Amino acid sequence: MSETEKTVEAEENPHAKVVLQAANAMMKASLKLVPPAVLICIVVFTILKGQPGLLGSAIGGVLALVSAVATLGLMRFSAGMDPMFVMVIALGGYVLKLILLFAALSVLRGVDSIHPMALGVTMIVAILVAAAVEFAAFRKTKIPTIIPASH
């Protein structure tokens, strides 16, 4: 769906407008703070563990960043849908991300050139920073709690 179609849909559907507004604010905030947090982890683990720390931390950061952006992408995708379907998509997306992250970590488990602690800690840091930043952006966004029906 193009940006123009999303704008038209948002004008017709007040729920979509609110969700898109929140998703935009959360995306901007995430992209400002998560990459620097990942970069700090990469530097720290490179200093502490050398190349395995660099690789582990870089892979963990990429996995966590993709996961965070996927969540916001799902918000944008489901913005115009019935709120019940939005919840179904959110929960389904969460389960799918968990399965994919588990599969990726299982594949990477035996790789000696990747430091597992660097990978895990970087993922945890990136996911927690993303969650905190998204929460703060959501709180700052002016979102009405009740959307009156238009006649």
Side-chain angles (χ1 to χ4, degrees):
M1 183 180 287
S2 73
E3 197 64 38
T4 306
E5 290 172 317
K6 285 183 181 179
T7 304
V8 170
E9 183 179 326
E11 290 173 2
E12 294 172 4
N13 181 346
H15 178 260
K17 181 179 179 182
V18 170
V19 173
L20 289 172
Q21 181 182 1
N24 288 337
M26 293 162 73
M27 180 71 80
K28 287 178 188 175
S30 289
L31 292 177
K32 281 183 187 176
L33 294 178
V34 175
V38 169
L39 188 59
I40 290 169
C41 288
I42 290 172
V43 170
V44 168
F45 282 109
T46 301
I47 291 168
L48 294 176
K49 302 296 179 183
Q51 186 169 348
L54 168 73
L55 291 174
S57 193
I59 291 170
V62 168
L63 288 173
L65 193 57
V66 167
S67 176
V69 170
T71 299
L72 298 172
L74 284 174
M75 280 181 71
R76 294 185 63 77
F77 170 75
S78 64
M81 296 180 181
D82 183 79
M84 186 184 320
F85 289 117
V86 173
M87 287 304 298
V88 169
I89 289 172
L91 292 174
Y94 178 71
V95 169
L96 181 63
K97 284 191 319 181
L98 282 177
I99 291 169
L100 291 174
L101 286 174
F102 179 74
L105 293 176
S106 294
V107 168
L108 296 172
R109 186 176 190 166
V111 179
D112 292 334
S113 61
I114 297 172
H115 192 275
M117 185 65 76
L119 185 138
V121 169
T122 302
M123 282 184 69
I124 290 169
V125 167
I127 289 170
L128 289 177
V129 168
V133 167
E134 289 169 6
F135 176 73
F138 178 79
R139 297 261 318 188
K140 285 183 187 177
T141 305
K142 303 292 184 207
I143 297 176
T145 9
I146 298 174
I147 302 171
S150 59
H151 291 93

